[in-house]
Amino acid sequence: MFAQPQPLRGTMLPILAVGLLMLSSCSFSFEVDPATTVMVEITGVNDEEDRDDIRETLIGMTDGSSHMMTSSASGEKMTVELSPVEDIDAFSRKINFGEVIEVDGRTVKVEFVK
């Protein structure tokens, strides 16, 4: 009774090709610049809600409106890689979720305080 929809293979391939061509001409990249990336190592974090709050706080501490962030947690330790951050010292002074224990290059070590 009802007509079966026909596959769009004939039209999808050109659309996909044009989309890929447009993306390849953009200067967009998923790579982060090591010179603007900071590693934040936080100890004493046990609760996932606290980890979420820390991630939100750190996102607000980046330089600019766009950011790249990866995070992982194991036991009481949480590690966050965040970019862009130009001034590590200024960034470290903004940390309000714990005590900064050490700043070594672009790595900031923090003891979480609830």
Side-chain angles (χ1 to χ4, degrees):
M1 289 250 169
F2 296 103
Q4 293 291 328
Q6 295 298 316
L8 297 175
R9 280 182 271 172
T11 57
M12 291 304 287
L13 187 57
I15 292 172
L16 181 61
V18 169
L20 288 174
L21 182 61
M22 288 173 60
L23 280 176
S24 68
S25 65
C26 294
S27 62
F28 182 76
S29 173
F30 286 109
E31 294 181 26
V32 294
D33 181 1
T36 62
T37 301
V38 64
M39 178 77 68
V40 184
E41 297 176 352
I42 307 129
T43 56
V45 185
N46 294 314
D47 185 57
E48 190 60 36
E49 188 174 316
D50 290 333
R51 289 184 183 112
D52 290 340
D53 291 343
I54 289 169
R55 282 188 281 268
E56 282 299 314
T57 299
L58 290 173
I59 287 171
M61 294 170 58
T62 59
D63 299 329
S65 60
S66 64
H67 69 278
M68 295 286 282
M69 179 174 68
T70 60
S71 68
S72 62
S74 178
E76 290 188 349
K77 186 174 180 181
M78 175 180 181
T79 303
V80 179
E81 194 171 12
L82 186 65
S83 180
V85 174
E86 297 290 336
D87 186 341
I88 296 296
D89 293 327
F91 175 85
S92 299
R93 287 191 298 271
K94 293 179 192 174
I95 292 176
N96 62 2
F97 52 82
E99 181 183 347
V100 175
I101 304 299
E102 180 182 357
V103 177
D104 182 18
R106 298 198 64 83
T107 301
V108 180
K109 296 182 180 182
V110 179
E111 178 64 39
F112 177 67
V113 177
K114 191 163 187 168

